[in-house]
Amino acid sequence: MYAAVVRSFGAPPRFERFPAPTASGEHEILVDVLAAGLHPRVRSAADGSHYTSDGALPLVPGIDAVGRTPQGELLYFVAPDTGPGTMAERAVVDRRRAVTLPPGTDPVPMAAAMNPGMSSWVALRRRVSFRPGDSVLVLGATGGAGRLAVRIARQLGAGHVVGAGRDPRRLDLLKGLGADDVVALDGDDKDVAERLGRVAAEVDVVIDYVWGRPTEQAMRALLTARADRSRALAWIQIGSMAGQDITLPAALLRAANLTVLGSGQGSVSTAGIVAELPSLAAEIAAGTLAVDPLPMPLARVEQAWNTPAEPGRRIVLIP
Ligand SMILES: NC(=O)c1ccc[n+]([C@@H]2O[C@H](COP(=O)([O-])OP(=O)(O)OC[C@H]3O[C@@H](n4cnc5c(N)ncnc54)[C@H](OP(=O)(O)O)[C@@H]3O)[C@@H](O)[C@H]2O)c1
């Protein structure tokens, strides 16, 4: 079969012949891949920098996809932890990590939205006791996952949603997607802190896609502007677009009721993530949750890798 193949962590994958995988065990089947999203997580696995990377090469990237079984059933699936990924003509599906899609589902928007959607869907439903009426800040709300997080928070019953990000144009769009307020993460630290303190000081949950410096700023701004510092604030670490580390001053932690936790592979079991897939897939199939897909042929994977996709748009490779 043909696949995207990474032979060196310093170079993009190339479209090459690669041995087709074989299904083994009672839960595995081989499917034709119809669409696979080029998510940030796929890039980090393909350059060896993701925390789950074992450094083995060559590899076929791709963590999820929409595929068709030999019987014609349409599936969204998360790739097995070992073996070739989904950016190939065929892939192995473990049925326990798959959800059946209604016939006629368009594979491209589904492949684009499931991974970014999953980040906040799973975080709010599995990592915190999210209650209707709770107030949410999304840090990095201008990206694909962040934009969906705004919608998802609203859909899961948030009483107030604030979106924060850098890009002014995409920040403006968030109001139409369910954000009550938006905060620009630009200008000097004092301005950013003042803006965040004004509209987000009383949030119950932060969904954080950026980490690094913007998180340090936001944490200090929120915690010091809070009317009642003993009111709980859950800070859910999901992505690290702006940095891998933060400095968390001891006094800040002591002086507020802050819980910092993560959501992703590891902090949520695979079974826990998979249990959330059907409900999320139903929302995407119904058109309630969407990201803007940019379909490209798998044969042009090198070009896709080097195309700086506009945040909020998701490249989807079609074998
Ligand atoms: N844990 C999970 O379950 C899970 C699942 C899916 C995704 N993720 C992670 O979530 C993150 C976002 O994914 P995505 O799909 O939304 O990516 P994306 O569509 O590429 O969006 C990237 C976002 O990061 C922001 N950003 C980038 N560099 C920044 C910086 N230096 N300072 C402030 N903001 C910065 C961008 O803001 P501007 O455009 O405004 O500059 C944009 O909002 C990634 O780290 C991804 O791996 C985690």
Side-chain angles (χ1 to χ4, degrees), residues 114-284:
M114 278 299 278
N115 171 268
M118 214 181 290
S119 62
S120 54
W121 187 270
V122 169
L124 290 178
R125 285 166 55 102
R126 295 263 158 183
R127 296 295 285 143
V128 288
S129 306
F130 187 66
R131 291 155 309 176
D134 277 356
S135 171
V136 176
L137 166 66
V138 180
L139 269 184
T142 43
R147 223 161 71 158
L148 280 177
V150 167
R151 281 208 74 115
I152 285 170
R154 182 58 87 200
Q155 206 152 323
L156 295 179
H160 191 83
V161 182
V162 180
R166 295 182 306 183
D167 185 282
R169 193 176 53 81
R170 288 194 311 275
L171 211 49
D172 276 349
L173 296 175
L174 293 176
K175 289 216 166 160
L177 296 172
D180 299 287
D181 283 301
V182 294
V183 176
L185 295 177
D186 63 359
D188 67 30
D189 289 6
K190 216 166 135 256
D191 288 347
V192 173
E194 193 273 323
R195 277 178 234 141
L196 280 167
R198 197 157 16 93
V199 297
E202 306 304 332
V203 296
D204 302 291
V205 177
V206 177
I207 302 177
D208 186 349
Y209 292 100
V210 294
W211 213 238
R213 177 88 185 119
T215 292
E216 290 175 350
Q217 277 179 301
M219 224 177 235
R220 183 181 289 280
L222 261 58
L223 292 176
T224 51
R226 231 162 155 71
D228 174 5
R229 293 201 196 177
S230 70
R231 207 176 103 229
L233 173 60
W235 200 288
I236 317 178
Q237 199 317 293
I238 297 190
S240 37
M241 299 302 296
Q244 295 297 323
D245 307 295
I246 60 163
T247 297
L248 175 53
L252 204 58
L253 195 54
R254 246 184 351 252
N257 187 358
L258 171 69
T259 303
V260 182
L261 68 170
S263 184
Q265 270 176 286
S267 52
V268 185
S269 67
T270 302
I273 293 174
V274 170
E276 296 297 337
L277 298 183
S279 48
L280 177 60
E283 298 287 347
I284 295 168

Side-chain angles (χ1 to χ4, degrees), residues 1 16 29 51 82 97 102 130 142-143 238 253 265 288:
M1 67 171 186
E16 291 177 6
I29 47 167
Y51 64 91
T82 55
R97 292 178 170 214
F130 187 66
T142 43
I238 297 190
L253 195 54
Q265 270 176 286
T288 351

